[in-house]
């Protein structure tokens, strides 16, 4: 129905707004990585560095959006959009995975494997639609959103396997572990902290900023070098 389509589109557009950061990376990643295609070891390390940098920025945004979703909807969009909260959560979870999949995708593209990417993408789209039909029958419009985190995980696995077949050995877990841990702790603290605050614009902004602060404080405390690396990377880019 029209209402369900509206909820899905709204949830997707709202949750995917932070992906503008990833799109900026995508525009510069291909020419940069293409220059390294003959040095597979350096290419692998560069992809890993890209994963660290993107997830370092994407994960705190994802954490805040997950923890503060109802409050943001209430003060910014009004409660009429609250029925889409589950779809919003699913789409928001999916964007965190983009910080991993995009560097892998760009690495494959830099090797000139566009045909493999086309076949893989087409296969994943068919699989997505295959999942969407039973999910929608069972869960309603939320079933459309449920396909997204599943699809993103499949993309990561597929891209990682393609790179490995081309002797590009990229370590994922070791390059996202600290960011994931910091994001989970930030989410937990925000969920606890917001219970003691009334829901209004000022409190929502404050709690969101507090969540970002907590995240980067944890990164600084546990992996200072990653934060220093990111700052240096941004300075070079600018």
């Amino acid at each position: 129905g029209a209402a369900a389509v509206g909820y899905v589109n709204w949830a997707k557009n709202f949750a995917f707004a932070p992906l503008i950061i990833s799109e900026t990376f995508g525009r510069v990643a291909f020419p940069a990585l293409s220059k390294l295609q003959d040095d597979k070891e350096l290419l692998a390390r560069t992809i890993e560095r890209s994963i660290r940098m993107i997830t370092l920025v994407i994960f705190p945004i994802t954490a805040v959006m997950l923890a503060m979703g109802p409050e943001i909807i209430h003060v910014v969009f009004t409660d009429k959009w609250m029925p889409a909260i589950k779809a919003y959560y699913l789409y928001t979870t999916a964007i965190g995975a983009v910080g991993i999949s995009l560097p892998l995708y760009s690495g494959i593209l830099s090797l000139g494997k566009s045909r493999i990417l086309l076949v893989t993408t087409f296969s994943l789209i068919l699989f997505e639609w295959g999942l969407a039909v039973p999910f929608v029958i069972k869960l309603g419009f939320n079933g459309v959103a449920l396909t997204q985190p599943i699809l993103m995980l499949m993309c990561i696995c597929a891209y990682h396997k393609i790179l490995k077949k081309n002797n590009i050995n990229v370590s994922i877990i070791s390059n996202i572990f600290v960011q994931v841990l910091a994001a989970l702790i930030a989410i937990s603290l925000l969920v606890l902290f917001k219970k003691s605050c009334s829901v209004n614009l000022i409190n929502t902004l404050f709690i969101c900023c507090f969540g970002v602060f907590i995240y980067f404080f944890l990164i600084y405390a546990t992996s200072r070098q990653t934060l220093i690396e990111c700052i240096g990377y941004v300075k070079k880019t600018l």
Side-chain angles (χ1 to χ4, degrees), residues 38-214:
D38 295 326
D39 190 336
K40 295 185 177 182
E41 180 64 25
L42 181 58
L43 178 59
R45 303 293 79 79
T46 304
I47 293 173
E48 289 177 348
R49 185 187 188 193
S50 299
I51 291 173
R52 289 196 302 274
M53 296 304 98
I54 297 180
T55 54
L56 189 66
V57 177
I58 288 288
F59 281 10
I61 298 174
T62 303
V64 168
M65 292 179 69
L66 286 172
M68 299 299 295
E71 289 74 21
I72 295 174
I73 293 172
H74 176 76
V75 300
V76 178
F77 299 99
T78 73
D79 290 343
K80 72 177 183 179
W81 295 104
M82 206 61 77
I85 188 68
K86 291 182 180 178
Y88 161 79
Y89 281 141
L90 291 167
Y91 281 124
T92 302
T93 303
I95 72 168
V98 173
I100 305 170
S101 65
L102 183 58
L104 298 176
Y105 178 92
S106 299
I108 298 171
L109 197 61
S110 70
L111 294 172
K113 304 294 183 178
S114 56
R115 184 176 179 180
I116 294 177
L117 282 176
L118 178 62
V119 173
T120 302
T121 301
F122 183 72
S123 300
L124 290 172
I125 290 173
L126 290 178
F127 188 80
E128 177 185 7
W129 279 98
L131 288 177
V133 173
F135 282 178
V136 169
I137 293 173
K138 183 70 175 178
L139 303 172
F141 68 85
N142 290 313
V144 177
L146 181 57
T147 64
Q148 296 305 299
I150 296 174
L151 186 67
M152 291 308 305
L153 288 175
M154 292 184 65
C155 285
I156 292 172
C157 293
Y159 297 160
H160 186 264
K161 187 173 182 180
I162 292 171
L163 285 171
K164 193 171 184 179
K165 282 188 175 181
N166 286 273
N167 297 317
I168 310 295
N169 297 307
V170 176
S171 176
I172 295 177
I173 296 177
S174 62
N175 286 286
I176 66 169
F177 179 78
V178 174
Q179 296 93 301
V180 170
L181 183 61
L184 291 175
I185 294 174
I187 290 172
S188 301
L189 292 176
L190 287 183
V191 170
L192 291 174
F193 184 62
K194 72 178 184 178
K195 291 180 180 179
S196 61
C197 300
S198 58
V199 180
N200 57 57
L201 181 59
I202 299 300
N203 285 345
T204 300
L205 287 174
F206 174 77
I207 297 172
C208 288
C209 292
F210 175 72
V212 174
F213 171 79
I214 289 295

